[in-house]
């Protein structure tokens, strides 16, 4: 017997699929319109309208539903004399005015009327709403009331009007420049209310950032008045004033010192933005102070606020730590005795731990090295692999940085290698390679310990480091040929970094122990020049082949020659960048430690302005560029290093490089005497003729020959590397 079930029909009002929660957007808009227009005369407090408007704003902001169809209804609600309703209506207007400008214009009379309201909150709200709407008619209509409200009796309205000038400048700079709004803004700096002054300064700073035609200048009198009202301002007002003080250029040392002393109480403020901005201003003023004793006193004042910021949340901690990295490079006496506060806590996020590790390295000295090594030893046994690697690398860098502590650092590394943990062994191998370069012929006794852990190496950098050690000390490692041969089994499958290391190490083995390396060298050179697609590897193979087949003495002088000294200071910023970055302490650029224009393309670059008080001889650019010698200058017989010009003139850099190589090429190549030997060398080596030299690039290809130019100014048949 068949059973018939009645078909269920959902009641009217249910939406898509019969669910009360799934309504079409059109249905939702119609329902909200109905709610908005309900209530009638009985609803004296407009409670129904407020609830409906809250739903509309929620749909507009959170649900991303298009509420633009309700625009006429919202415009009708704007005339209701309720601040809460006006706020929601104006929020809707700002959001949709550019989509429906013709409907938005109907709200303009209401906004203009509200600017004459007796309630200052309504006046300020109406002006702020008008300035936010990027529609031509609104922008032009905002200028007259802004002029009027800049002189309003209420300070809140004046503060809002000051910010509106900057907003208008963003919409139409020519309109603002043609009016007298900027002059009026300037006159507001003499206002009695500190909040108004701070807002006017913030607005002027914003306009100055966007304009090339406007110059912001603050004399000592104005700067002194601004500092005087600092305690009476809100925390953001203090930030605006301190920001503006960066445009003040001291003309006398005493002015800079007095101003730095007067703003230093802001260093104890609870807001991190105020603290960091104050640190930036003090660092800036230090450039104009001649007395080194006073600078040391100011530096000591900068340490406690930076340490205090480390008690805040991890994000603020990270910002403080990144700024501390920058400040330490410019003023090393800051935080000199505070290394313990940078020791890592177990619950620190990894980005905070890694930055603390960098600071520990920078602050480590011969006096505190024992304490630092004990701490780093603990870090190297943690669970986080990335952090452990960084810790091991820091120990190796400390051995290079602090020469008297090198033995203690190496002993710590050997203790870690003894744990047989793969990633620790690999990281230790990399840093020990650098220690050997820093201290040749001093710590070679630990090579045997490294050789015991060859099976642990599977990363390219660690393999390349170990291969370098084997090649460099082939004469001292009894079975160096066997060790290299083990690595050479997988030559074709290795990354280029390892292949290059193997090629160089094999040549070094042959130079130091010809009998051990005579079988390996032809095989490796053949692989490098014929069986690889990588141009760097192939070129290096041809260079070694040419050297070995011409003159062994020259080959030994080049391959086994003195290496450029290695230092632990390679991560320091260049002087020009450091000088600029110190003028941007507390900004996002200091998190990346990159020039501001690389982080914000439209940002105005900051430079130290010249004045009689500027201590030019103490600037990083004065001390750094002449004192630092580029690594590329070593081994060139005292030839000057080619430096790219600071202003980015590429053509000049190319000309300078051409001039350098033209001078260095001929006499150095002649000294190498590459053409002098008639040794046929290995099979397939470059062919030497009487008048010219030819290279067969690939011997399996049919006679593709490269003929180097031998005219005046060329550097012979291969470039000096």
């Amino acid at each position: 017997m068949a059973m018939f079930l009645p078909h269920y029909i959902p009641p009217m009002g249910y939406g898509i699929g019969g669910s009360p929660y799934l309504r079409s957007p059109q249905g939702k808009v119609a329902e909200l319109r109905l709610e908005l227009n309900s209530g009638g005369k009985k609803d004296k407090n407009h409670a129904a309208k407020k609830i409906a408007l809250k739903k509309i704003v929620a749909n507009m902001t959170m649900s991303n539903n298009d509420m633009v169809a309700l625009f006429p209804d919202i415009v009708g609600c704007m005339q209701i004399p309720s601040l809460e309703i006006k706020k929601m209506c104006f929020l809707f207007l700002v959001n949709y005015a550019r989509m429906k400008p013709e409907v938005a214009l109907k709200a303009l009379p209401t906004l203009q009327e509200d600017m004459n309201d007796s309630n200052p909150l309504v006046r300020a709200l109406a002006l702020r709403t008008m300035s936010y709407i990027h529609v031509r008619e609104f922008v032009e209509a905002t200028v007259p009331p802004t002029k009027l409200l800049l002189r309003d009796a209420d300070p809140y309205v004046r503060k809002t009007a000051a910010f509106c000038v900057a907003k208008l400048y963003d919409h139409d700079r020519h309109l603002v420049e043609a009016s007298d709004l900027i002059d009026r803004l300037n006159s507001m700096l003499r206002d009695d209310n500190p909040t108004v002054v701070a807002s006017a300064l913030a607005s002027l700073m914003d306009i100055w950032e966007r304009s090339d035609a406007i110059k912001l200048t603050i004399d000592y009198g104005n700067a002194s008045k601004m500092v005087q009202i600092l305690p009476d301002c809100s925390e953001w007002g203090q930030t605006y004033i301190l920001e503006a003080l960066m445009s003040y250029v001291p003309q006398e040392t005493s002015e800079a010192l007095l101003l730095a002393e007067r703003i230093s109480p802001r260093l104890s403020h609870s807001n991190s933005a105020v603290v960091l901005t104050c640190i930036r201003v003090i660092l800036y003023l230090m450039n104009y102070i001649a007395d080194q004793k006073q600078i040391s006193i100011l530096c000591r004042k900068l340490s406690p606020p930076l340490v205090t910021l480390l008690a805040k949340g991890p994000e603020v901690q990270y910002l403080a730590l990144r700024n501390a990295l920058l400040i330490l490079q410019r003023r090393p006496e800051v935080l000199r005795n505070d290394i313990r506060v940078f020791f890592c806590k177990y619950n620190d996020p990894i980005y905070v731990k890694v930055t603390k590790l960098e600071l520990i390295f920078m602050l480590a000295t011969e006096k505190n090295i024992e304490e630092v090594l004990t701490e780093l030893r603990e870090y190297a046994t943690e669970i986080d692999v990335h952090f452990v690697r960084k810790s091991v690398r820091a120990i190796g860098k400390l051995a290079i940085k602090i020469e008297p502590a090198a033995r203690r650092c190496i002993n710590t590394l050997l203790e870690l290698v003894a744990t047989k943990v793969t990633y620790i062994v690999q990281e230790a191998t990399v840093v020990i390679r650098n220690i050997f370069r820093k201290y040749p012929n001093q710590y070679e006794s630990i090579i045997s310990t490294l050789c015991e852990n060859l099976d642990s190496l599977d990363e390219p950098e660690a393999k390349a480091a170990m291969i370098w050690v084997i090649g460099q000390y082939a004469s001292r490692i009894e079975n160096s040929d066997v060790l290299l041969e083990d690595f050479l089994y997988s030559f074709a499958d290795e990354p280029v970094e390892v292949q290059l290391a193997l090629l160089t190490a094999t040549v070094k083995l042959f130079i130091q122990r010809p009998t051990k390396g005579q079988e390996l060298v032809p095989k490796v050179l053949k692989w490098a020049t014929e069986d690889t697609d990588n141009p760097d590897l192939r070129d290096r193979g041809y260079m070694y082949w040419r050297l070995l087949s011409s003159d062994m003495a020259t080959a030994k002088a080049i391959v086994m020659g003195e290496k450029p000294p290695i230092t632990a200071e390679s991560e320091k910023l260049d002087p020009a960048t450091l000088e600029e970055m110190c003028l941007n302490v507390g900004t996002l650029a200091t998190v990346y430690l990159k020039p501001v224009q690389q982080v914000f393309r439209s940002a105005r670059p900051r430079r130290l302005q010249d004045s009689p008080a500027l201590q030019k001889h103490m600037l990083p650019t004065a001390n750094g560029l002449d004192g630092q010698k580029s690594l590329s200058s070593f081994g060139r017989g005292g030839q000057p290093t080619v430096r790219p010009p600071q202003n980015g003139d590429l053509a000049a850099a190319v000309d300078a490089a051409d001039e350098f190589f033209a001078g260095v090429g001929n006499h150095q190549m002649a000294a190498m005497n590459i053409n002098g030997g008639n040794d046929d060398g290995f099979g397939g080596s470059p062919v030497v003729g009487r008048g010219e030299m030819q290279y067969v690039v690939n011997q399996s290809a049919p006679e593709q020959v490269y003929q180097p130019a031998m005219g005046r100014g060329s550097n012979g048949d291969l470039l000096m590397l």
Side-chain angles (χ1 to χ4, degrees):
M1 182 178 176
M3 292 182 66
F4 294 96
L5 295 173
H7 181 63
Y8 174 71
I9 302 172
M12 294 296 288
Y14 274 61
I16 301 165
S19 168
Y21 304 106
L22 297 173
R23 289 191 292 274
S24 67
Q26 292 82 4
K28 184 176 286 188
V29 168
E31 188 178 315
L32 288 169
R33 180 179 284 117
L34 196 64
E35 280 189 54
L36 196 61
N37 296 323
S38 65
K41 294 181 179 178
K42 293 181 181 179
D43 191 9
K44 293 182 179 179
N45 293 325
H46 310 288
K49 279 187 168 53
K50 288 177 184 177
I51 293 168
L53 282 167
K54 285 177 184 176
K55 289 181 182 177
I56 292 167
V57 170
N59 275 285
M60 177 181 74
T61 54
M62 293 190 294
S63 305
N64 204 23
N65 289 323
D66 193 359
M67 299 282 113
V68 73
L70 292 169
F71 215 139
D73 304 275
I74 297 291
V75 170
C77 293
M78 284 182 186
Q79 296 179 2
I80 297 172
S82 164
L83 186 62
E84 190 179 355
I85 288 176
K86 282 183 182 294
K87 279 183 180 178
M88 290 186 283
C89 290
F90 290 168
L91 188 63
F92 184 96
L93 178 64
V94 170
N95 203 47
Y96 288 122
R98 294 187 73 174
M99 293 173 63
K100 294 274 187 179
E102 66 284 351
V103 182
L105 284 172
K106 294 178 182 176
L108 190 55
T110 306
L111 287 168
Q112 289 172 327
E113 186 181 331
D114 283 346
M115 286 189 210
N116 298 316
D117 196 278
S118 58
N119 187 342
L121 293 176
V122 174
R123 295 201 299 274
L125 180 64
L127 180 62
R128 184 163 59 242
T129 304
M130 275 188 75
S131 68
Y132 279 175
I133 298 171
H134 194 46
V135 174
R136 166 57 51 190
E137 289 81 2
F138 276 86
V139 173
E140 290 175 351
T142 308
V143 175
T146 303
K147 290 181 180 180
L148 188 67
L149 294 180
L150 280 170
R151 295 176 181 171
D152 194 274
D154 192 277
Y156 179 74
V157 179
R158 296 202 300 276
K159 181 200 80 142
T160 306
F163 282 123
C164 285
V165 176
K167 198 70 185 171
L168 283 171
Y169 193 85
D170 187 36
H171 293 326
D172 189 345
R173 62 176 60 192
H174 301 296
L175 182 68
V176 175
E177 287 172 4
S179 68
D180 62 344
L181 281 172
I182 294 176
D183 293 332
R184 288 171 184 259
L185 207 55
N186 265 315
S187 65
M188 289 180 73
L189 297 177
R190 295 186 287 275
D191 198 285
D192 296 332
N193 189 287
T195 305
V196 175
V197 175
S199 304
L201 268 173
S203 188
L204 284 168
M205 288 291 289
D206 188 75
I207 291 170
W208 172 74
E209 280 279 349
R210 299 168 189 274
S211 171
D212 296 325
I214 297 170
K215 188 178 180 183
L216 187 65
T217 54
I218 299 174
D219 59 16
Y220 181 70
N222 284 328
S224 186
K225 288 174 187 173
M226 286 155 58
V227 173
Q228 194 173 349
I229 64 170
L230 265 176
D232 303 321
C233 293
S234 66
E235 51 193 16
W236 299 116
Q238 293 183 33
T239 308
Y240 298 145
I241 289 173
L242 290 168
E243 280 274 4
L245 285 174
M246 293 293 292
S247 299
Y248 162 65
V249 182
Q251 299 300 309
E252 294 180 14
T253 295
S254 56
E255 290 179 3
L257 180 59
L258 184 58
L259 210 60
E261 290 289 349
R262 288 177 66 188
I263 65 170
S264 57
R266 300 301 104 206
L267 292 171
S268 57
H269 201 282
S270 59
N271 187 301
S272 54
V274 175
V275 173
L276 285 170
T277 312
C278 187
I279 289 173
R280 186 201 313 173
V281 178
I282 291 175
L283 283 171
Y284 164 70
L285 292 172
M286 281 184 192
N287 295 303
Y288 297 89
I289 298 173
D291 190 345
Q292 290 303 307
K293 187 178 178 182
Q294 293 296 334
I295 287 179
S296 298
I297 292 170
L298 286 171
C299 285
R300 284 198 292 274
K301 287 183 178 180
L302 296 183
S303 298
L306 282 170
V307 171
T308 305
L309 289 175
L310 298 181
K312 295 183 180 286
E315 292 80 12
V316 177
Q317 273 189 60
Y318 182 64
L319 180 63
L321 290 167
R322 296 301 288 178
N323 281 282
L325 282 174
L326 178 67
I327 293 165
L328 271 174
Q329 291 187 43
R330 179 69 183 94
R331 302 287 178 186
E333 55 266 43
V334 179
L335 300 166
R336 180 173 283 166
N337 302 315
D338 296 308
I339 192 168
R340 291 182 65 84
V341 301
F342 297 112
F343 286 172
C344 301
K345 299 173 185 173
Y346 76 95
N347 58 348
D348 280 338
I350 184 63
Y351 56 88
V352 170
K353 283 183 174 180
V354 170
T355 314
K356 281 184 174 181
L357 206 56
E358 291 180 54
L359 280 161
I360 290 170
F361 169 73
M362 290 181 75
L363 291 167
T365 61
E366 193 178 347
K367 292 179 181 177
N368 59 26
I369 189 67
E370 284 294 344
E371 190 179 17
V372 169
L373 283 177
T374 305
E375 191 72 14
L376 293 177
R377 177 78 174 75
E378 289 295 318
Y379 299 162
T381 57
E382 289 202 8
I383 298 171
D384 193 308
V385 176
H386 177 65
F387 184 54
V388 170
R389 286 177 178 277
K390 291 276 188 183
S391 303
V392 175
R393 190 156 290 205
I395 295 170
K397 286 167 67 179
L398 283 173
I400 295 168
K401 178 186 175 185
I402 307 169
E403 191 167 342
R407 171 54 68 183
R408 279 173 283 180
C409 295
I410 290 170
N411 290 339
T412 307
L413 286 172
L414 291 177
E415 288 173 25
L416 293 171
V417 169
T419 61
K420 302 291 184 182
V421 179
T422 307
Y423 51 85
I424 292 179
V425 172
Q426 301 199 103
E427 206 61 45
T429 305
V430 173
V431 295
I432 287 172
R433 184 261 315 266
N434 293 336
I435 292 170
F436 284 162
R437 282 191 59 186
K438 173 70 174 177
Y439 308 110
N441 307 316
Q442 288 189 42
Y443 301 108
E444 281 74 13
S445 56
I446 64 175
I447 292 174
S448 57
T449 310
L450 294 179
C451 292
E452 290 170 10
N453 295 280
L454 286 178
D455 295 337
S456 304
L457 309 180
D458 55 15
E459 294 176 1
E461 191 179 7
K463 277 187 175 182
M466 190 65 223
I467 291 163
W468 181 90
V469 171
I470 295 169
Q472 188 70 20
Y473 299 100
S475 58
R476 303 187 192 187
I477 303 172
E478 184 59 36
N479 60 337
S480 53
D481 55 327
V482 177
L483 296 175
L484 273 181
E485 202 162 3
D486 288 343
F487 281 111
L488 286 168
Y489 279 127
S490 56
F491 181 87
D493 302 322
E494 296 287 1
V496 175
E497 181 183 359
V498 178
Q499 289 180 332
L500 287 166
L502 280 169
L503 174 59
T504 303
T506 309
V507 172
K508 286 180 178 178
L509 171 67
F510 176 69
I511 287 171
Q512 295 177 77
R513 306 175 74 177
T515 53
K516 295 272 189 181
Q518 61 185 357
E519 292 182 6
L520 292 179
V521 168
K523 184 165 58 174
V524 175
L525 286 174
K526 191 171 178 9
W527 289 341
T529 54
E530 294 185 11
D531 300 342
T532 182
D533 294 329
N534 186 277
D536 293 335
L537 183 61
R538 191 166 61 240
D539 289 352
R540 190 181 293 192
Y542 275 122
M543 186 190 79
Y544 284 147
W545 205 323
R546 182 69 237 158
L547 278 173
L548 294 173
S549 61
S550 302
D551 185 355
M552 281 296 291
T554 303
K556 185 173 183 178
I558 292 173
V559 178
M560 300 301 298
E562 187 179 346
K563 304 293 182 292
I566 190 168
T567 67
E569 308 299 326
S570 57
E571 294 173 8
K572 281 196 171 183
L573 294 170
D574 69 87
T577 305
L578 177 60
E579 189 177 296
E580 183 188 349
M581 294 300 296
C582 285
L583 302 177
N584 293 280
V585 167
T587 65
L588 192 58
T590 55
V591 175
Y592 295 106
L593 289 180
K594 293 184 181 297
V596 181
Q597 284 190 305
Q598 288 186 25
V599 182
F600 307 106
R601 289 181 188 173
S602 59
R604 181 191 286 264
R606 291 184 182 271
R607 296 282 183 270
L608 282 172
Q609 299 301 312
D610 195 12
S611 95
L614 182 62
Q615 306 297 307
K616 295 179 183 177
H617 63 286
M618 298 299 294
L619 298 179
T621 45
N623 298 327
L625 291 176
D626 298 330
Q628 291 180 346
K629 194 173 185 184
S630 171
L631 291 183
S632 59
S633 67
F634 289 94
R636 294 196 186 272
Q639 290 287 338
T641 305
V642 179
R643 292 185 180 276
Q646 293 299 317
N647 59 3
D649 188 349
L650 186 60
V654 172
D655 291 343
D658 288 343
E659 184 181 346
F660 171 75
F661 283 116
V664 78
N666 289 331
H667 72 268
Q668 289 196 353
M669 295 304 296
M672 286 169 59
N673 194 23
I674 288 180
N675 299 2
N678 294 319
D679 184 8
D680 290 332
F682 306 105
S685 65
V687 182
V688 182
R690 277 191 177 180
E692 57 186 4
M693 181 175 291
Q694 300 179 340
Y695 287 126
V696 181
V697 176
N698 190 337
Q699 294 179 355
S700 60
E703 288 304 311
Q704 293 180 355
V705 179
Y706 166 63
Q707 297 181 338
M710 299 297 290
R712 186 180 179 187
S714 79
N715 56 346
D717 24 312
L718 61 92
L719 196 63
M720 180 67 184
L721 298 180

